[in-house]
Amino acid sequence: MKRAILSLFMVVILFSCSPNLLMDQGSTGNIVPVVQEEPEYELIVLDPGFDTWYYTAWSTAKDRMISYYQYWNNQYVNDWNYRATHPRFSAGFDSMIDYDSNINYGIEVERKLYYYFQWVEAVKKQPILFAKRYSGL
């Protein structure tokens, strides 16, 4: 199971368990392929107050398609990581986020990550996205 731990105060940790093909020797001595299931991902946010806010802010009526969350998560992660690596912008962005837009994390992880960024901007009052890039200026 993959777990990403996010916090403004903690380093992002990603535990990996990738799917692979195992070879199992059967009782007759034949080699039998055993295919593991697809990896599962879970996002754990350690910031106090996020989970309560998340469960009150999200509802099925507000839900979007996974492609919407993936698009915005990619934008947020790019700007977050830029801020984390540049001293001029790094206040509050102590850790990098290991996010690969080519990986299917599933709707629950994508949604929760998106809402984490929304929470940081709304509750922590820390803008993440660089406005000029998105305002067309």
Side-chain angles (χ1 to χ4, degrees):
M1 172 166 304
K2 285 199 178 188
R3 293 178 180 239
I5 300 176
L6 294 177
S7 173
L8 290 175
F9 313 108
M10 301 237 159
V11 176
V12 176
I13 301 171
L14 186 63
F15 299 99
S16 65
C17 175
S18 54
N20 55 13
L21 186 63
L22 299 176
M23 301 307 272
D24 186 22
Q25 193 168 12
S27 60
T28 61
N30 297 329
I31 303 285
V32 180
V34 178
V35 179
Q36 291 182 339
E37 295 180 23
E38 288 292 318
E40 294 179 12
Y41 300 92
E42 181 179 354
L43 182 67
I44 300 172
V45 178
L46 299 177
D47 284 299
F50 170 74
D51 285 331
T52 303
W53 181 89
Y54 174 66
Y55 291 116
T56 58
W58 178 79
S59 72
T60 54
K62 295 181 189 178
D63 208 6
R64 308 282 185 141
M65 294 180 62
I66 191 170
S67 58
Y68 177 87
Y69 295 125
Q70 290 168 330
Y71 171 80
W72 282 107
N73 287 341
N74 194 46
Q75 304 306 311
Y76 276 111
V77 167
N78 286 337
D79 285 7
W80 179 288
N81 288 342
Y82 182 84
R83 289 179 182 278
T85 57
H86 289 80
R88 180 177 172 198
F89 304 109
S90 66
F93 299 91
D94 299 334
S95 60
M96 303 250 323
I97 298 175
D98 185 13
Y99 176 85
D100 183 348
S101 60
N102 296 316
I103 294 176
N104 181 6
Y105 293 105
I107 185 74
E108 291 85 11
V109 170
E110 296 286 354
R111 179 189 309 121
K112 194 170 184 179
L113 181 59
Y114 172 80
Y115 273 89
Y116 177 74
F117 294 129
Q118 300 304 302
W119 180 78
V120 168
E121 291 185 325
V123 176
K124 296 280 191 179
K125 307 274 191 252
Q126 290 186 286
I128 300 169
L129 297 176
F130 288 99
K132 286 185 179 181
R133 180 177 359 160
Y134 301 102
S135 65
L137 299 175

